[in-house]
Amino acid sequence: MMKKLFFLFLLPLCLLSAELDSASLREQLTENVVQAEIPLLTPTPRLSLISRGVVWAFERYHYVHPKITPELLSAWYTNYFQLLDPSKIYFLQSDLEEFRGYEQMLCTKGVPNLDFAFVVYQRCLQRMREWAVYSFNAYDKPCDFSEEEYLELYDYPEDHDWPSNNAEREKLWRLRVKNTLLADQLTQEDMKNVKVAETEADGTRRAVYTPPPIRLRSQKAIVTVFQNRLKAEPMDVMGYFINSLAVILDPHTCYFVPRDKENFDIAMSLSLQGIGATLSTRDAYTVVVSLVPGGPAARDGRLRPGDRIVAVAQAPDQEPVDVVDMPLDKVVEKIRGQKGTSVYLTVMPEGVSTSYTLKLVRDEIKLKDAEAQSKVYQVDGKRVLCI
């Protein structure tokens, strides 16, 4: 299904100037995007063996008993591009045509062609860099909202195709930037109306939270997505490729790389061994969101929400590993561990530029908040079960 997003006429001519700190954003773009080295990932014999085993398991044990036919290979070929670029804003039609020779060679005698998977992933990183550079430049330019234009939105990737050429792709990019800038202007106007400090019942005035501009969040998100893709490991690329086949078999079939399998087991068992802290990423830092009541971190009492974990060590005499700018799942891997073992965190408290080392002994954490719950209510004399 296609949707159209209409760019409203707010004024006869509305020129939007950049209100952000362009210098700092430009520095971030240069360091994290333009100068970032795109790694040359290559498949290993171990990954080839794993992928061959997964495809064999699909053919033998999946309830549809799939056969590697030319039709399946064509679907797998297209689906891999869609998995890497579901919004269809990175690749061009020429990219798909350039690699078309691989289409009927994605799997030969049960062995998936990982060379194809890795070379396409490399192209995806190049296209993502192009989008990041374009969007940063476009966000800094005035935008004319007087022209009536539409941004076409789709519910499913299959409903539309990739841009046929650079001009078509640039138009799509321009409309996406324009939509973000318009949303930013509307939000900033709304915030002006509520920015006046509100008065409490006792006469005191409290400040109203003002979120960062939408365009700033969008620019940071583009950098974050690109950086996360840059940090993918060969195992991750193989996982993307195998899952682009799995989803063709049925929507509920997927392949877990070891890290995802561990997280799945934790979610199913509602139990893990660690320090009992929920973590997130803010800019380049791993930040504590909350503490699990009764967990090691909560019992210790020093770690608090908002604190930043900047390094992790497994022993007091070990050189701490810097985790600034490290993907969150990698940081979590270093902090989790067997019950009874210790982990040493270098922590920067919120609002403080100095750090300290915190030793925590890992323990088993029960995830009570994730448990399925039910309750029985009496409604008009009848018992109603709510799950």
Side-chain angles (χ1 to χ4, degrees):
M1 179 184 294
M2 182 180 73
K3 302 176 182 177
K4 288 190 176 181
L5 189 60
F6 179 50
F7 295 104
L8 299 174
F9 290 90
L10 298 180
L11 297 170
L13 179 62
C14 181
L15 295 178
L16 187 62
S17 60
E19 299 172 358
L20 303 176
D21 184 353
S22 298
S24 63
L25 286 174
R26 186 68 59 186
E27 182 180 348
Q28 183 184 40
L29 168 67
T30 302
E31 180 180 354
N32 296 332
V33 179
V34 176
Q35 294 180 353
E37 182 179 353
I38 294 181
L40 182 60
L41 300 177
T42 55
T44 63
R46 176 172 176 263
L47 293 181
S48 296
L49 184 63
I50 293 173
S51 62
R52 178 177 184 175
V54 174
V55 171
W56 176 84
F58 284 162
E59 291 180 297
R60 185 176 181 86
Y61 296 113
H62 196 280
Y63 75 94
V64 300
H65 296 292
K67 300 298 181 183
I68 304 299
T69 63
E71 293 75 21
L72 181 64
L73 292 175
S74 294
W76 187 0
Y77 178 85
T78 302
N79 210 46
Y80 182 53
F81 285 91
Q82 285 188 172
L83 186 143
L84 296 177
D85 182 17
S87 298
K88 295 188 174 179
I89 64 172
Y90 303 137
F91 290 119
L92 294 166
Q93 278 288 349
S94 58
D95 292 322
L96 276 74
E97 293 306 317
E98 179 180 344
F99 298 112
R100 188 68 66 182
Y102 285 101
E103 183 174 342
Q104 294 303 315
M105 298 188 298
L106 292 191
C107 191
T108 305
K109 296 182 179 180
V111 181
N113 191 335
L114 295 187
D115 289 334
F116 163 79
F118 279 73
V119 73
V120 170
Y121 190 81
Q122 196 87 6
R123 178 63 57 84
C124 183
L125 293 177
Q126 295 170 2
R127 296 306 191 201
M128 292 178 73
R129 190 208 295 271
E130 292 170 6
W131 158 238
V133 172
Y134 175 91
S135 63
F136 266 78
N137 291 329
Y139 278 127
D140 284 343
K141 296 178 181 178
C143 187
D144 181 6
F145 293 128
S146 64
E147 183 181 357
E148 180 177 334
E149 293 185 293
Y150 294 89
L151 175 63
E152 297 178 347
L153 304 179
Y154 302 86
D155 291 326
Y156 305 101
E158 298 82 5
D159 293 339
H160 66 120
D161 218 331
W162 282 275
S164 59
N165 51 51
N166 276 312
E168 190 174 313
R169 187 180 62 169
E170 238 182 67
K171 179 182 178 181
L172 172 62
W173 287 354
R174 181 180 62 79
L175 292 177
R176 290 178 70 92
V177 170
K178 186 174 183 178
N179 178 56
T180 300
L181 291 176
L182 177 58
D184 187 34
Q185 175 166 310
L186 292 173
T187 301
Q188 295 304 314
E189 290 181 356
D190 288 342
M191 291 306 302
K192 288 178 183 178
N193 297 329
V194 299
K195 199 171 184 179
V196 178
E198 297 180 3
T199 303
E200 301 285 3
D202 60 1
T204 60
R205 298 171 70 82
R206 69 178 177 85
V208 177
Y209 169 70
T210 302
I214 291 175
R215 74 182 92 168
L216 176 59
R217 302 201 300 271
S218 178
Q219 286 176 298
K220 287 186 175 181
I222 291 171
V223 172
T224 299
V225 170
F226 178 65
Q227 286 183 304
N228 288 341
R229 284 284 182 89
L230 277 179
K231 294 170 183 174
E233 298 180 351
M235 177 69 76
D236 299 315
V237 178
M238 186 211 70
Y240 295 146
F241 186 50
I242 294 300
N243 274 310
S244 64
L245 167 65
V247 74
I248 297 174
L249 307 182
D250 78 83
H252 309 291
T253 296
C254 63
Y255 167 73
F256 286 156
V257 298
R259 180 175 58 253
D260 294 338
K261 172 62 165 56
E262 180 183 357
N263 291 332
F264 177 78
D265 289 342
I266 289 172
M268 295 302 293
S269 65
L270 299 180
S271 175
L272 62 87
Q273 294 181 3
I275 65 171
T278 302
L279 306 178
S280 183
T281 300
R282 184 185 303 162
D283 297 328
Y285 292 99
T286 297
V287 180
V288 178
V289 176
S290 62
L291 303 179
V292 177
R299 293 197 303 266
D300 179 272
R302 286 176 288 176
L303 195 65
R304 298 180 180 277
D307 290 353
R308 293 159 290 174
I309 299 174
V310 297
V312 180
Q314 307 301 324
D317 57 348
Q318 182 187 75
E319 182 71 22
V321 177
D322 187 350
V323 297
V324 176
D325 217 18
M326 182 180 290
L328 182 60
D329 54 355
K330 301 294 184 185
V331 181
V332 171
E333 283 183 9
K334 296 183 179 301
I335 296 176
R336 284 179 185 164
Q338 291 297 316
K339 176 180 178 180
T341 60
S342 298
V343 62
Y344 296 81
L345 308 178
T346 304
V347 179
M348 291 178 62
E350 185 177 21
V352 178
S353 58
T354 57
S355 62
Y356 70 94
T357 300
L358 171 63
K359 174 188 175 182
L360 293 173
V361 179
R362 300 176 177 106
D363 200 354
E364 184 175 4
I365 310 299
K366 295 294 184 181
L367 306 177
K368 296 291 185 181
D369 292 342
E371 290 181 343
Q373 301 180 12
S374 66
K375 190 170 183 179
V376 177
Y377 294 89
Q378 292 285 345
V379 180
D380 296 331
K382 298 180 179 179
R383 291 165 59 86
V384 178
L385 177 64
C386 295
I387 300 177

